[in-house]
Amino acid sequence: MRSASSGNVSMVCLRLSATGAARSLRACNGASGDIVALRSRVAAAIASVGVLGRKLAAELPMSSMRGFGRQCDGPRGKDRETAEAGSISYNGQAHRVRGEPTGHGLAAPAAVPAITSDENIMSLHFRTSVQILLCIAVLLFAGLASAATPVVKAPKTTPQRVLFVGNSYFYYNASLHFHARRIALAADPAWAKPFIYKSSTIAAAPLAHHNIEHLITPGNLGVKDPFDMVILQGNSTDAMSERASGAFRQKAIEFNEAITGRGAMTALYMTPAHVKPSKWAGRSDMMRNTEALYVAVGNEIGALVIPVGLAFEEAYRRRPDIVLHQPYDGSHPTLLGTYLGACVVYASLYGRSPVGNTYDFHGQIDKQDAAFLQQVAEDTVKAFYSRSEKPQ
């Protein structure tokens, strides 16, 4: 007769591991915190799932629970099954999970216990524990993926006084705020006439370089009334390190408190990934990291996320020959890149389609290019804000 304590060993392990996994899942779904750190926690949770089976097999035979110790030694005789090595790969790193393939795509323990009349319940606990933990690992990934779903879909009111706070990504090519307002004026002159757009930019600046309190104080930038919308843009590589992404998040939280404290709304301008010859062009995860960071922080602070980076990605997918980045660095936008960004800003702020807009920067933008970029902007904005809040 097996003891009650030995019968509970595997379920205790399951509860302890499930608790840690649930914390990580809540962190992912809550979309708060550093996305790089979230990735690390998810990878660690997955690795721990694989380790659990090995720990049980290695440690329990040495315990005083002889019955469970015997069954953890593995199957004997005709009950022996072939254990195959499996793996879960994440971000280029393989996390080994010893086990055999199952019909659900999960892995059962490599040390499959010999089933006897006295040990069949313990065997079921052992096998089920590891399989459930692997299910939790799958849910962790689903939670991380769902973090790319924006919560805020549109401003509550029509923004008339808009402030852009960023760096050279904004001021290149006569400044993005200039083009965004011109697009609005071309769409409906009477409607857009009261609009006031201002831009405060510092070369190569992260958010921390800006004095947000000074910028949003009425009158300091020549605007008598408070701003309705403040669009924040960080460094394009913020999502590529834990330190930088954490700093971006902290400043976005701090700035958002100041912005909303004056009755305005915060928006985050999602930057595009780099292309050649930038050294970051080789990082295929740059856009996904940036998207995850901006959506996670946007959801945390209740900000509107403007999916400019996704529009760049879509434009390159449809027309690989189009040049949206400066050829000398693969980072800063060309005039076409700025025009695309302005179209995405316009569509995101006002829920209006830029398709058919006549603005072409005094003939400097080819009509076919303008029409193409307008369509990309409309399609990207629609797809981004219509994402389901729950994974399908």
Side-chain angles (χ1 to χ4, degrees), residues 18-43:
T19 299
R23 287 172 182 159
S24 293
L25 181 57
R26 285 195 297 272
C28 289
N29 283 334
S32 62
D34 188 305
I35 208 67
V36 176
L38 287 183
R39 266 195 210 90
S40 299
R41 288 199 293 271
V42 170

Side-chain angles (χ1 to χ4, degrees), residues 81-86 97-103 106-110 112 127 131:
E81 298 176 21
T82 301
E84 298 177 359
V97 181
R98 293 186 62 194
E100 55 179 309
T102 70
L106 303 176
V112 181
R127 295 169 67 105
Q131 289 191 3

Side-chain angles (χ1 to χ4, degrees), residues 269-354:
Y269 182 97
M270 185 195 299
T271 55
H274 292 194
V275 300
K276 293 179 179 180
S278 168
K279 68 177 183 179
W280 293 102
R283 290 291 299 271
S284 60
D285 59 343
M286 188 174 190
M287 192 62 250
R288 299 287 73 78
N289 289 355
T290 301
E291 175 186 9
L293 174 64
Y294 273 74
V295 175
V297 174
N299 288 350
E300 182 178 5
I301 65 177
L304 178 73
V305 179
I306 302 175
V308 175
L310 301 183
F312 271 61
E313 185 177 49
E314 179 62 17
Y316 280 127
R317 188 190 68 80
R318 298 183 186 185
R319 271 183 54 183
D321 62 320
I322 198 166
V323 181
L324 304 177
H325 290 82
Q326 293 290 348
Y328 56 80
D329 68 357
S331 170
H332 291 89
T334 60
L335 177 58
L336 291 183
T338 294
Y339 185 83
L340 175 58
C343 286
V344 174
V345 168
Y346 169 77
S348 299
L349 294 191
Y350 303 112
R352 294 189 173 199
S353 171

Side-chain angles (χ1 to χ4, degrees), residues 59-351:
E59 296 173 6
L60 290 180
M62 300 176 63
S63 72
S64 60
M65 295 173 283
R66 297 171 184 170
F68 192 55
R70 287 197 306 273
Q71 64 100 24
C72 280
D73 287 337
R76 295 178 176 82
K78 65 179 181 180
D79 294 317
R80 182 177 298 278
E81 298 176 21
T82 301
E84 298 177 359
S87 67
I88 294 177
S89 178
Y90 182 72
N91 207 20
Q93 298 183 3
H95 303 279
R96 302 299 295 176
V97 181
R98 293 186 62 194
E100 55 179 309
T102 70
H104 302 289
L106 303 176
V112 181
I115 305 300
T116 69
S117 58
D118 295 329
E119 298 172 348
N120 56 351
I121 296 178
M122 285 304 301
S123 173
L124 179 61
H125 279 181
F126 181 79
R127 295 169 67 105
T128 303
S129 296
V130 177
Q131 289 191 3
I132 290 176
L133 286 171
L134 285 167
C135 288
I136 292 172
V138 172
L139 290 175
L140 282 169
F141 274 103
L144 186 60
S146 67
T149 300
V151 172
V152 178
K153 310 291 186 180
K156 294 180 180 179
T157 59
T158 300
Q160 292 192 345
R161 294 174 299 280
V162 182
L163 172 62
F164 293 70
V165 178
N167 53 40
S168 52
Y169 276 33
F170 278 169
Y171 70 63
Y172 260 53
N173 310 305
S175 192
L176 188 140
H177 81 290
F178 172 84
H179 298 291
R181 184 171 182 273
R182 290 289 176 171
I183 290 172
L185 284 169
D188 189 336
W191 167 71
K193 185 177 181 179
F195 292 0
I196 300 174
Y197 283 14
K198 289 287 185 174
S199 184
S200 176
T201 57
I202 304 173
L207 291 181
H209 288 185
H210 296 278
N211 185 344
I212 195 66
E213 285 288 357
H214 174 79
L215 295 176
I216 63 177
T217 299
N220 282 351
L221 298 182
V223 181
K224 180 178 63 175
D225 297 318
F227 288 104
D228 301 316
M229 174 74 70
V230 179
I231 302 175
L232 304 177
Q233 175 246 318
N235 274 339
S236 60
T237 58
D238 279 344
M240 303 308 289
S241 76
E242 183 174 349
R243 180 195 59 79
S245 58
F248 173 84
R249 173 180 174 265
Q250 289 300 326
K251 279 300 171 183
I253 293 172
E254 177 186 327
F255 284 14
N256 180 67
E257 290 177 355
I259 292 165
T260 56
R262 292 188 178 274
M265 183 178 183
T266 302
L268 301 179
Y269 182 97
M270 185 195 299
T271 55
H274 292 194
V275 300
K276 293 179 179 180
S278 168
K279 68 177 183 179
W280 293 102
R283 290 291 299 271
S284 60
D285 59 343
M286 188 174 190
M287 192 62 250
R288 299 287 73 78
N289 289 355
T290 301
E291 175 186 9
L293 174 64
Y294 273 74
V295 175
V297 174
N299 288 350
E300 182 178 5
I301 65 177
L304 178 73
V305 179
I306 302 175
V308 175
L310 301 183
F312 271 61
E313 185 177 49
E314 179 62 17
Y316 280 127
R317 188 190 68 80
R318 298 183 186 185
R319 271 183 54 183
D321 62 320
I322 198 166
V323 181
L324 304 177
H325 290 82
Q326 293 290 348
Y328 56 80
D329 68 357
S331 170
H332 291 89
T334 60
L335 177 58
L336 291 183
T338 294
Y339 185 83
L340 175 58
C343 286
V344 174
V345 168
Y346 169 77
S348 299
L349 294 191
Y350 303 112

